[in-house]
Short mmCIF file of all heavy atoms in Angstrom, two decimals:
data_model
loop_
_atom_site.label_atom_id
_atom_site.label_comp_id
_atom_site.label_asym_id
_atom_site.label_seq_id
_atom_site.Cartn_x
_atom_site.Cartn_y
_atom_site.Cartn_z
N PRO L 225 82.10 56.38 79.87
CA PRO L 225 83.34 57.15 80.00
C PRO L 225 83.34 58.35 79.07
O PRO L 225 82.43 58.51 78.24
CB PRO L 225 84.40 56.15 79.55
CG PRO L 225 83.70 55.38 78.46
CD PRO L 225 82.25 55.27 78.92
N GLN L 226 84.33 59.21 79.22
CA GLN L 226 84.57 60.26 78.24
C GLN L 226 85.28 59.60 77.05
O GLN L 226 86.47 59.33 77.10
CB GLN L 226 85.43 61.37 78.85
CG GLN L 226 84.76 62.07 80.02
CD GLN L 226 85.64 63.15 80.63
OE1 GLN L 226 86.54 63.68 79.99
NE2 GLN L 226 85.39 63.47 81.89
N LEU L 227 84.54 59.33 76.02
CA LEU L 227 85.05 58.48 74.94
C LEU L 227 86.27 59.06 74.23
O LEU L 227 87.10 58.31 73.72
CB LEU L 227 83.93 58.22 73.92
CG LEU L 227 82.79 57.33 74.41
CD1 LEU L 227 81.70 57.23 73.33
CD2 LEU L 227 83.28 55.94 74.80
N ASP L 228 86.39 60.38 74.20
CA ASP L 228 87.55 60.96 73.51
C ASP L 228 88.82 60.90 74.37
O ASP L 228 89.88 61.30 73.91
CB ASP L 228 87.26 62.40 73.08
CG ASP L 228 86.91 63.31 74.24
OD1 ASP L 228 86.55 62.80 75.32
OD2 ASP L 228 86.98 64.54 74.08
N GLN L 229 88.71 60.37 75.59
CA GLN L 229 89.86 60.28 76.48
C GLN L 229 90.35 58.85 76.66
O GLN L 229 91.30 58.61 77.41
CB GLN L 229 89.51 60.86 77.86
CG GLN L 229 89.04 62.31 77.83
CD GLN L 229 90.14 63.29 77.45
OE1 GLN L 229 91.18 63.33 78.08
NE2 GLN L 229 89.91 64.07 76.40
N VAL L 230 89.71 57.88 76.01
CA VAL L 230 90.07 56.48 76.21
C VAL L 230 90.86 55.96 75.00
O VAL L 230 90.89 56.57 73.94
CB VAL L 230 88.83 55.60 76.44
CG1 VAL L 230 88.05 56.10 77.66
CG2 VAL L 230 87.92 55.57 75.21
N SER L 231 91.49 54.81 75.18
CA SER L 231 92.28 54.20 74.12
C SER L 231 91.38 53.69 73.00
O SER L 231 90.16 53.54 73.18
CB SER L 231 93.09 53.03 74.67
OG SER L 231 92.23 51.97 75.06
N ASP L 232 91.98 53.38 71.86
CA ASP L 232 91.20 52.84 70.74
C ASP L 232 90.51 51.54 71.13
O ASP L 232 89.36 51.31 70.77
CB ASP L 232 92.12 52.60 69.54
CG ASP L 232 92.58 53.89 68.89
OD1 ASP L 232 92.00 54.95 69.18
OD2 ASP L 232 93.54 53.83 68.08
N ALA L 233 91.22 50.67 71.86
CA ALA L 233 90.65 49.39 72.25
C ALA L 233 89.46 49.58 73.18
O ALA L 233 88.41 48.93 73.03
CB ALA L 233 91.71 48.52 72.92
N THR L 234 89.58 50.48 74.16
CA THR L 234 88.48 50.75 75.08
C THR L 234 87.31 51.39 74.35
O THR L 234 86.15 51.06 74.60
CB THR L 234 88.95 51.66 76.23
OG1 THR L 234 90.00 51.00 76.95
CG2 THR L 234 87.80 51.98 77.18
N LEU L 235 87.61 52.29 73.45
CA LEU L 235 86.56 52.94 72.66
C LEU L 235 85.76 51.89 71.89
O LEU L 235 84.52 51.89 71.92
CB LEU L 235 87.18 53.95 71.70
CG LEU L 235 86.25 54.61 70.68
CD1 LEU L 235 85.12 55.37 71.37
CD2 LEU L 235 87.05 55.54 69.76
N ARG L 236 86.44 50.99 71.21
CA ARG L 236 85.74 49.95 70.44
C ARG L 236 84.90 49.07 71.36
O ARG L 236 83.76 48.72 71.04
CB ARG L 236 86.74 49.11 69.66
CG ARG L 236 87.33 49.83 68.44
CD ARG L 236 88.06 48.86 67.53
NE ARG L 236 89.21 48.26 68.20
CZ ARG L 236 90.43 48.78 68.21
NH1 ARG L 236 90.66 49.92 67.57
NH2 ARG L 236 91.42 48.17 68.84
N PHE L 237 85.46 48.70 72.51
CA PHE L 237 84.72 47.86 73.45
C PHE L 237 83.45 48.57 73.91
O PHE L 237 82.37 47.97 73.95
CB PHE L 237 85.58 47.51 74.67
CG PHE L 237 84.81 46.85 75.78
CD1 PHE L 237 84.52 45.49 75.72
CD2 PHE L 237 84.35 47.59 76.86
CE1 PHE L 237 83.78 44.88 76.73
CE2 PHE L 237 83.61 46.98 77.87
CZ PHE L 237 83.32 45.63 77.81
N GLU L 238 83.56 49.83 74.31
CA GLU L 238 82.41 50.57 74.82
C GLU L 238 81.29 50.65 73.79
O GLU L 238 80.11 50.52 74.12
CB GLU L 238 82.84 51.99 75.22
CG GLU L 238 83.65 52.05 76.49
CD GLU L 238 82.83 51.82 77.74
OE1 GLU L 238 81.59 52.05 77.70
OE2 GLU L 238 83.41 51.41 78.77
N LEU L 239 81.64 50.86 72.54
CA LEU L 239 80.64 50.98 71.48
C LEU L 239 80.04 49.64 71.10
O LEU L 239 78.82 49.49 71.00
CB LEU L 239 81.25 51.65 70.25
CG LEU L 239 81.80 53.07 70.44
CD1 LEU L 239 82.48 53.54 69.16
CD2 LEU L 239 80.69 54.03 70.84
N ILE L 240 80.90 48.65 70.88
CA ILE L 240 80.43 47.35 70.40
C ILE L 240 79.68 46.60 71.49
O ILE L 240 78.61 46.01 71.23
CB ILE L 240 81.62 46.52 69.89
CG1 ILE L 240 82.22 47.19 68.64
CG2 ILE L 240 81.19 45.09 69.58
CD1 ILE L 240 83.53 46.58 68.17
N HIS L 241 80.19 46.61 72.72
CA HIS L 241 79.53 45.88 73.81
C HIS L 241 78.14 46.46 74.06
O HIS L 241 77.17 45.71 74.26
CB HIS L 241 80.40 45.95 75.07
CG HIS L 241 80.07 44.91 76.09
ND1 HIS L 241 79.86 43.58 75.76
CD2 HIS L 241 79.93 44.99 77.45
CE1 HIS L 241 79.59 42.90 76.85
NE2 HIS L 241 79.62 43.72 77.89
N CYS L 242 78.03 47.77 74.06
CA CYS L 242 76.73 48.41 74.23
C CYS L 242 75.76 47.98 73.13
O CYS L 242 74.62 47.58 73.41
CB CYS L 242 76.90 49.93 74.22
SG CYS L 242 75.36 50.87 74.27
N LYS L 243 76.21 48.03 71.91
CA LYS L 243 75.35 47.66 70.78
C LYS L 243 74.92 46.21 70.86
O LYS L 243 73.75 45.87 70.63
CB LYS L 243 76.09 47.92 69.46
CG LYS L 243 75.27 47.63 68.22
CD LYS L 243 76.09 47.89 66.97
CE LYS L 243 75.28 47.54 65.72
NZ LYS L 243 76.09 47.71 64.50
N GLU L 244 75.84 45.33 71.23
CA GLU L 244 75.52 43.90 71.30
C GLU L 244 74.53 43.59 72.41
O GLU L 244 73.62 42.77 72.25
CB GLU L 244 76.81 43.09 71.49
CG GLU L 244 77.70 43.07 70.26
CD GLU L 244 79.01 42.33 70.48
OE1 GLU L 244 79.38 42.11 71.66
OE2 GLU L 244 79.66 41.97 69.48
N ILE L 245 74.68 44.26 73.56
CA ILE L 245 73.76 44.01 74.67
C ILE L 245 72.36 44.49 74.33
O ILE L 245 71.37 43.78 74.57
CB ILE L 245 74.28 44.71 75.95
CG1 ILE L 245 75.53 43.99 76.46
CG2 ILE L 245 73.20 44.71 77.04
CD1 ILE L 245 76.23 44.71 77.60
N VAL L 246 72.24 45.70 73.78
CA VAL L 246 70.92 46.21 73.40
C VAL L 246 70.28 45.28 72.37
O VAL L 246 69.09 44.93 72.47
CB VAL L 246 71.01 47.65 72.86
CG1 VAL L 246 69.67 48.10 72.29
CG2 VAL L 246 71.47 48.61 73.95
N SER L 247 71.05 44.85 71.40
CA SER L 247 70.53 43.95 70.36
C SER L 247 70.05 42.64 70.96
O SER L 247 68.98 42.12 70.59
CB SER L 247 71.61 43.68 69.31
OG SER L 247 72.05 44.86 68.69
N ASP L 248 70.83 42.10 71.89
CA ASP L 248 70.47 40.83 72.52
C ASP L 248 69.22 40.96 73.38
O ASP L 248 68.34 40.09 73.37
CB ASP L 248 71.65 40.34 73.38
CG ASP L 248 71.35 39.02 74.06
OD1 ASP L 248 71.16 38.01 73.35
OD2 ASP L 248 71.30 38.99 75.31
N GLN L 249 69.11 42.05 74.12
CA GLN L 249 68.00 42.22 75.05
C GLN L 249 66.69 42.61 74.35
O GLN L 249 65.61 42.23 74.80
CB GLN L 249 68.35 43.29 76.10
CG GLN L 249 69.40 42.84 77.10
CD GLN L 249 68.89 41.74 78.02
OE1 GLN L 249 67.76 41.78 78.51
NE2 GLN L 249 69.73 40.74 78.26
N LEU L 250 66.78 43.36 73.26
CA LEU L 250 65.58 43.87 72.61
C LEU L 250 65.25 43.17 71.29
O LEU L 250 64.14 43.30 70.78
CB LEU L 250 65.71 45.38 72.35
CG LEU L 250 65.96 46.27 73.56
CD1 LEU L 250 65.95 47.73 73.14
CD2 LEU L 250 64.93 46.04 74.65
N GLY L 251 66.23 42.49 70.73
CA GLY L 251 66.00 41.83 69.45
C GLY L 251 66.06 42.77 68.26
O GLY L 251 65.72 42.38 67.15
N THR L 252 66.47 44.00 68.49
CA THR L 252 66.64 44.98 67.41
C THR L 252 67.97 45.70 67.61
O THR L 252 68.38 45.96 68.74
CB THR L 252 65.50 46.02 67.38
OG1 THR L 252 65.42 46.66 68.66
CG2 THR L 252 64.17 45.36 67.07
N VAL L 253 68.62 46.02 66.52
CA VAL L 253 69.92 46.67 66.58
C VAL L 253 69.72 48.17 66.76
O VAL L 253 68.98 48.79 65.98
CB VAL L 253 70.72 46.40 65.29
CG1 VAL L 253 72.09 47.09 65.35
CG2 VAL L 253 70.90 44.89 65.09
N PRO L 254 70.37 48.79 67.76
CA PRO L 254 70.20 50.24 67.94
C PRO L 254 70.81 51.02 66.79
O PRO L 254 71.93 50.73 66.35
CB PRO L 254 70.94 50.52 69.25
CG PRO L 254 71.95 49.42 69.37
CD PRO L 254 71.30 48.21 68.75
N ALA L 255 70.07 52.00 66.29
CA ALA L 255 70.54 52.78 65.15
C ALA L 255 71.15 54.12 65.56
O ALA L 255 71.89 54.72 64.79
CB ALA L 255 69.38 53.04 64.18
N SER L 256 70.84 54.58 66.77
CA SER L 256 71.24 55.92 67.21
C SER L 256 72.13 55.82 68.44
O SER L 256 72.02 54.90 69.24
CB SER L 256 70.01 56.77 67.52
OG SER L 256 69.11 56.81 66.43
N PHE L 257 72.98 56.84 68.60
CA PHE L 257 73.94 56.87 69.70
C PHE L 257 73.99 58.29 70.26
O PHE L 257 73.76 59.26 69.53
CB PHE L 257 75.33 56.47 69.20
CG PHE L 257 76.36 56.28 70.28
CD1 PHE L 257 76.44 55.08 70.97
CD2 PHE L 257 77.24 57.30 70.60
CE1 PHE L 257 77.39 54.90 71.97
CE2 PHE L 257 78.19 57.13 71.60
CZ PHE L 257 78.26 55.93 72.29
N ALA L 258 74.26 58.39 71.56
CA ALA L 258 74.52 59.70 72.17
C ALA L 258 75.83 59.61 72.92
O ALA L 258 76.07 58.66 73.67
CB ALA L 258 73.39 60.09 73.12
N TYR L 259 76.70 60.61 72.73
CA TYR L 259 78.01 60.61 73.36
C TYR L 259 77.89 60.90 74.85
O TYR L 259 77.27 61.90 75.24
CB TYR L 259 78.91 61.67 72.71
CG TYR L 259 79.04 61.54 71.22
CD1 TYR L 259 78.42 62.46 70.37
CD2 TYR L 259 79.76 60.51 70.65
CE1 TYR L 259 78.52 62.35 69.00
CE2 TYR L 259 79.87 60.38 69.27
CZ TYR L 259 79.25 61.30 68.45
OH TYR L 259 79.34 61.18 67.09
N PRO L 260 78.46 60.05 75.72
CA PRO L 260 78.46 60.37 77.15
C PRO L 260 79.10 61.73 77.40
O PRO L 260 80.14 62.04 76.82
CB PRO L 260 79.30 59.24 77.76
CG PRO L 260 79.16 58.11 76.80
CD PRO L 260 79.09 58.75 75.44
N TYR L 261 78.48 62.53 78.21
CA TYR L 261 78.90 63.90 78.52
C TYR L 261 78.85 64.81 77.30
O TYR L 261 79.24 65.98 77.38
CB TYR L 261 80.32 63.93 79.11
CG TYR L 261 80.52 63.02 80.28
CD1 TYR L 261 81.17 61.80 80.15
CD2 TYR L 261 80.05 63.37 81.54
CE1 TYR L 261 81.34 60.95 81.23
CE2 TYR L 261 80.22 62.52 82.64
CZ TYR L 261 80.86 61.32 82.47
OH TYR L 261 81.04 60.48 83.54
N GLY L 262 78.43 64.30 76.16
CA GLY L 262 78.40 65.09 74.94
C GLY L 262 79.74 65.19 74.24
O GLY L 262 79.86 65.86 73.22
N TYR L 263 80.77 64.51 74.79
CA TYR L 263 82.12 64.67 74.27
C TYR L 263 82.38 63.70 73.12
O TYR L 263 82.12 62.50 73.23
CB TYR L 263 83.17 64.41 75.35
CG TYR L 263 83.06 65.31 76.55
CD1 TYR L 263 83.40 64.85 77.82
CD2 TYR L 263 82.64 66.64 76.43
CE1 TYR L 263 83.31 65.68 78.93
CE2 TYR L 263 82.55 67.47 77.53
CZ TYR L 263 82.89 66.98 78.78
OH TYR L 263 82.79 67.80 79.87
N SER L 264 82.95 64.23 72.04
CA SER L 264 83.37 63.39 70.93
C SER L 264 84.59 64.03 70.27
O SER L 264 85.06 65.08 70.69
CB SER L 264 82.25 63.19 69.91
OG SER L 264 82.00 64.38 69.19
N SER L 265 85.09 63.36 69.28
CA SER L 265 86.20 63.86 68.47
C SER L 265 86.07 63.19 67.12
O SER L 265 85.21 62.31 66.93
CB SER L 265 87.54 63.49 69.12
OG SER L 265 87.70 62.07 69.16
N ARG L 266 86.90 63.57 66.20
CA ARG L 266 86.84 62.93 64.88
C ARG L 266 87.04 61.42 65.00
O ARG L 266 86.34 60.63 64.36
CB ARG L 266 87.89 63.53 63.95
CG ARG L 266 87.86 62.94 62.54
CD ARG L 266 88.87 63.62 61.65
NE ARG L 266 88.57 65.04 61.48
CZ ARG L 266 89.34 65.88 60.77
NH1 ARG L 266 90.45 65.44 60.18
NH2 ARG L 266 89.01 67.14 60.66
N ARG L 267 87.99 61.01 65.86
CA ARG L 267 88.25 59.58 66.08
C ARG L 267 87.03 58.88 66.65
O ARG L 267 86.65 57.79 66.20
CB ARG L 267 89.43 59.43 67.04
CG ARG L 267 89.77 57.99 67.42
CD ARG L 267 90.95 57.96 68.39
NE ARG L 267 90.57 58.48 69.70
CZ ARG L 267 90.41 57.72 70.78
NH1 ARG L 267 90.58 56.42 70.71
NH2 ARG L 267 90.08 58.28 71.93
N VAL L 268 86.37 59.50 67.62
CA VAL L 268 85.19 58.90 68.25
C VAL L 268 84.04 58.81 67.24
O VAL L 268 83.38 57.77 67.12
CB VAL L 268 84.77 59.70 69.49
CG1 VAL L 268 83.42 59.21 70.01
CG2 VAL L 268 85.83 59.59 70.58
N ARG L 269 83.82 59.89 66.51
CA ARG L 269 82.72 59.88 65.54
C ARG L 269 82.94 58.82 64.46
O ARG L 269 82.00 58.14 64.03
CB ARG L 269 82.56 61.27 64.91
CG ARG L 269 82.06 62.32 65.92
CD ARG L 269 81.71 63.62 65.25
NE ARG L 269 82.87 64.35 64.76
CZ ARG L 269 83.60 65.19 65.49
NH1 ARG L 269 83.29 65.41 66.76
NH2 ARG L 269 84.64 65.82 64.97
N GLN L 270 84.18 58.66 64.03
CA GLN L 270 84.48 57.63 63.04
C GLN L 270 84.23 56.24 63.60
O GLN L 270 83.67 55.36 62.92
CB GLN L 270 85.94 57.76 62.58
CG GLN L 270 86.36 56.74 61.53
CD GLN L 270 85.62 56.90 60.21
OE1 GLN L 270 85.19 58.01 59.88
NE2 GLN L 270 85.45 55.81 59.47
N ALA L 271 84.61 56.03 64.86
CA ALA L 271 84.39 54.72 65.49
C ALA L 271 82.90 54.43 65.65
O ALA L 271 82.46 53.29 65.46
CB ALA L 271 85.09 54.68 66.85
N VAL L 272 82.12 55.44 66.00
CA VAL L 272 80.67 55.27 66.13
C VAL L 272 80.09 54.87 64.78
O VAL L 272 79.25 53.96 64.69
CB VAL L 272 80.02 56.57 66.66
CG1 VAL L 272 78.51 56.53 66.51
CG2 VAL L 272 80.40 56.79 68.12
N ARG L 273 80.55 55.53 63.74
CA ARG L 273 80.06 55.19 62.40
C ARG L 273 80.47 53.77 62.01
O ARG L 273 79.65 52.99 61.50
CB ARG L 273 80.63 56.18 61.38
CG ARG L 273 80.16 55.95 59.96
CD ARG L 273 80.65 57.05 59.05
NE ARG L 273 80.17 56.89 57.68
CZ ARG L 273 80.33 57.77 56.72
NH1 ARG L 273 80.97 58.92 56.97
NH2 ARG L 273 79.86 57.53 55.51
N GLU L 274 81.71 53.40 62.28
CA GLU L 274 82.20 52.06 61.92
C GLU L 274 81.50 50.97 62.72
O GLU L 274 81.38 49.83 62.24
CB GLU L 274 83.71 51.99 62.13
CG GLU L 274 84.50 52.83 61.13
CD GLU L 274 85.98 52.88 61.44
OE1 GLU L 274 86.39 52.36 62.51
OE2 GLU L 274 86.73 53.45 60.62
N THR L 275 81.04 51.29 63.92
CA THR L 275 80.32 50.32 64.73
C THR L 275 78.93 50.03 64.17
O THR L 275 78.31 49.02 64.50
CB THR L 275 80.21 50.83 66.19
OG1 THR L 275 81.52 51.08 66.69
CG2 THR L 275 79.54 49.81 67.10
N GLY L 276 78.44 50.90 63.31
CA GLY L 276 77.17 50.66 62.65
C GLY L 276 76.04 51.57 63.08
O GLY L 276 74.91 51.41 62.62
N TYR L 277 76.33 52.52 63.98
CA TYR L 277 75.30 53.49 64.33
C TYR L 277 75.11 54.45 63.15
O TYR L 277 76.08 54.91 62.55
CB TYR L 277 75.70 54.28 65.57
CG TYR L 277 75.72 53.46 66.84
CD1 TYR L 277 76.93 52.99 67.36
CD2 TYR L 277 74.55 53.15 67.51
CE1 TYR L 277 76.96 52.24 68.53
CE2 TYR L 277 74.57 52.40 68.68
CZ TYR L 277 75.78 51.94 69.18
OH TYR L 277 75.80 51.21 70.33
N ALA L 278 73.86 54.74 62.83
CA ALA L 278 73.57 55.58 61.66
C ALA L 278 73.60 57.06 61.97
O ALA L 278 73.70 57.89 61.06
CB ALA L 278 72.21 55.20 61.07
N GLN L 279 73.47 57.43 63.25
CA GLN L 279 73.50 58.83 63.65
C GLN L 279 73.86 58.92 65.12
O GLN L 279 73.73 57.95 65.86
CB GLN L 279 72.15 59.53 63.42
CG GLN L 279 70.95 58.80 64.00
CD GLN L 279 70.36 57.76 63.08
OE1 GLN L 279 70.45 57.88 61.86
NE2 GLN L 279 69.76 56.72 63.64
N ALA L 280 74.33 60.10 65.53
CA ALA L 280 74.74 60.30 66.93
C ALA L 280 74.48 61.73 67.36
O ALA L 280 74.60 62.67 66.56
CB ALA L 280 76.21 59.94 67.11
N LEU L 281 74.16 61.88 68.64
CA LEU L 281 73.83 63.19 69.20
C LEU L 281 74.91 63.65 70.16
O LEU L 281 75.43 62.87 70.97
CB LEU L 281 72.50 63.13 69.95
CG LEU L 281 71.28 62.66 69.16
CD1 LEU L 281 70.02 62.77 70.01
CD2 LEU L 281 71.12 63.44 67.87
N ALA L 282 75.23 64.93 70.08
CA ALA L 282 76.16 65.57 71.01
C ALA L 282 75.30 66.39 71.99
O ALA L 282 74.17 66.02 72.31
CB ALA L 282 77.13 66.46 70.24
N VAL L 283 75.85 67.49 72.50
CA VAL L 283 75.05 68.42 73.31
C VAL L 283 75.11 69.77 72.60
O VAL L 283 74.32 70.04 71.72
CB VAL L 283 75.54 68.51 74.77
CG1 VAL L 283 74.63 69.44 75.57
CG2 VAL L 283 75.50 67.11 75.41
N GLY L 284 76.08 70.61 72.91
CA GLY L 284 76.24 71.86 72.18
C GLY L 284 75.28 72.96 72.56
O GLY L 284 75.53 74.13 72.32
N ASN L 285 74.12 72.60 73.13
CA ASN L 285 73.09 73.56 73.51
C ASN L 285 72.77 74.54 72.39
O ASN L 285 72.86 75.76 72.53
CB ASN L 285 73.48 74.28 74.81
CG ASN L 285 73.26 73.39 76.02
OD1 ASN L 285 72.20 72.81 76.18
ND2 ASN L 285 74.28 73.26 76.84
N GLY L 286 72.41 73.95 71.26
CA GLY L 286 71.95 74.69 70.10
C GLY L 286 70.94 73.84 69.36
O GLY L 286 70.77 72.65 69.65
N LEU L 287 70.26 74.43 68.41
CA LEU L 287 69.28 73.69 67.62
C LEU L 287 70.00 72.80 66.61
O LEU L 287 71.07 73.12 66.11
CB LEU L 287 68.35 74.66 66.91
CG LEU L 287 67.53 75.58 67.82
CD1 LEU L 287 66.66 76.52 66.97
CD2 LEU L 287 66.67 74.80 68.79
N ALA L 288 69.40 71.66 66.33
CA ALA L 288 69.97 70.72 65.36
C ALA L 288 69.67 71.19 63.94
O ALA L 288 68.58 71.70 63.65
CB ALA L 288 69.42 69.32 65.58
N ARG L 289 70.66 71.01 63.07
CA ARG L 289 70.51 71.35 61.66
C ARG L 289 71.13 70.23 60.83
O ARG L 289 72.06 69.56 61.26
CB ARG L 289 71.23 72.66 61.33
CG ARG L 289 70.76 73.85 62.14
CD ARG L 289 71.65 75.05 61.91
NE ARG L 289 71.65 75.46 60.50
CZ ARG L 289 72.52 76.31 59.97
NH1 ARG L 289 73.50 76.82 60.72
NH2 ARG L 289 72.44 76.64 58.71
N ARG L 290 70.60 70.07 59.63
CA ARG L 290 71.12 69.03 58.74
C ARG L 290 72.61 69.22 58.47
O ARG L 290 73.36 68.25 58.36
CB ARG L 290 70.33 69.05 57.43
CG ARG L 290 70.67 67.93 56.48
CD ARG L 290 69.81 68.02 55.23
NE ARG L 290 70.00 66.87 54.35
CZ ARG L 290 69.37 66.70 53.21
NH1 ARG L 290 68.47 67.60 52.81
NH2 ARG L 290 69.59 65.64 52.46
N ALA L 291 73.05 70.49 58.38
CA ALA L 291 74.44 70.78 58.05
C ALA L 291 75.42 70.31 59.11
O ALA L 291 76.62 70.20 58.85
CB ALA L 291 74.61 72.28 57.82
N GLN L 292 74.95 70.03 60.33
CA GLN L 292 75.85 69.54 61.38
C GLN L 292 76.36 68.14 61.08
O GLN L 292 77.37 67.71 61.63
CB GLN L 292 75.12 69.55 62.73
CG GLN L 292 74.85 70.96 63.25
CD GLN L 292 73.77 70.99 64.32
OE1 GLN L 292 73.26 69.95 64.74
NE2 GLN L 292 73.41 72.18 64.76
N GLY L 293 75.66 67.43 60.20
CA GLY L 293 76.04 66.07 59.87
C GLY L 293 75.39 65.09 60.83
O GLY L 293 75.05 65.43 61.96
N PRO L 294 75.23 63.83 60.41
CA PRO L 294 74.47 62.86 61.22
C PRO L 294 75.16 62.42 62.50
O PRO L 294 74.53 61.78 63.34
CB PRO L 294 74.29 61.68 60.25
CG PRO L 294 75.42 61.80 59.29
CD PRO L 294 75.65 63.27 59.12
N TYR L 295 76.46 62.76 62.67
CA TYR L 295 77.18 62.29 63.86
C TYR L 295 77.57 63.42 64.81
O TYR L 295 78.39 63.22 65.70
CB TYR L 295 78.42 61.49 63.45
CG TYR L 295 78.05 60.21 62.75
CD1 TYR L 295 77.99 60.15 61.36
CD2 TYR L 295 77.70 59.07 63.47
CE1 TYR L 295 77.61 58.98 60.71
CE2 TYR L 295 77.32 57.91 62.84
CZ TYR L 295 77.28 57.87 61.45
OH TYR L 295 76.89 56.71 60.82
#
Side-chain angles (χ1 to χ4, degrees):
Q226 297 179 23
L227 291 176
D228 59 342
Q229 302 291 304
V230 302
S231 68
D232 288 346
T234 299
L235 173 59
R236 286 193 296 272
F237 170 81
E238 287 287 336
L239 299 175
I240 294 171
H241 199 45
C242 175
K243 182 181 178 184
E244 289 177 343
I245 290 172
V246 172
S247 300
D248 180 64
Q249 289 292 317
L250 302 185
T252 56
V253 180
S256 306
F257 188 83
Y259 305 108
Y261 308 102
Y263 301 147
S264 71
S265 63
R266 182 177 297 178
R267 176 181 70 108
V268 171
R269 292 189 290 274
Q270 181 64 28
V272 167
R273 181 174 182 172
E274 291 173 353
T275 303
Y277 292 101
Q279 51 273 331
L281 303 185
V283 183
N285 284 310
L287 300 179
R289 302 172 61 193
R290 186 179 186 179
Q292 291 161 4
Y295 294 95

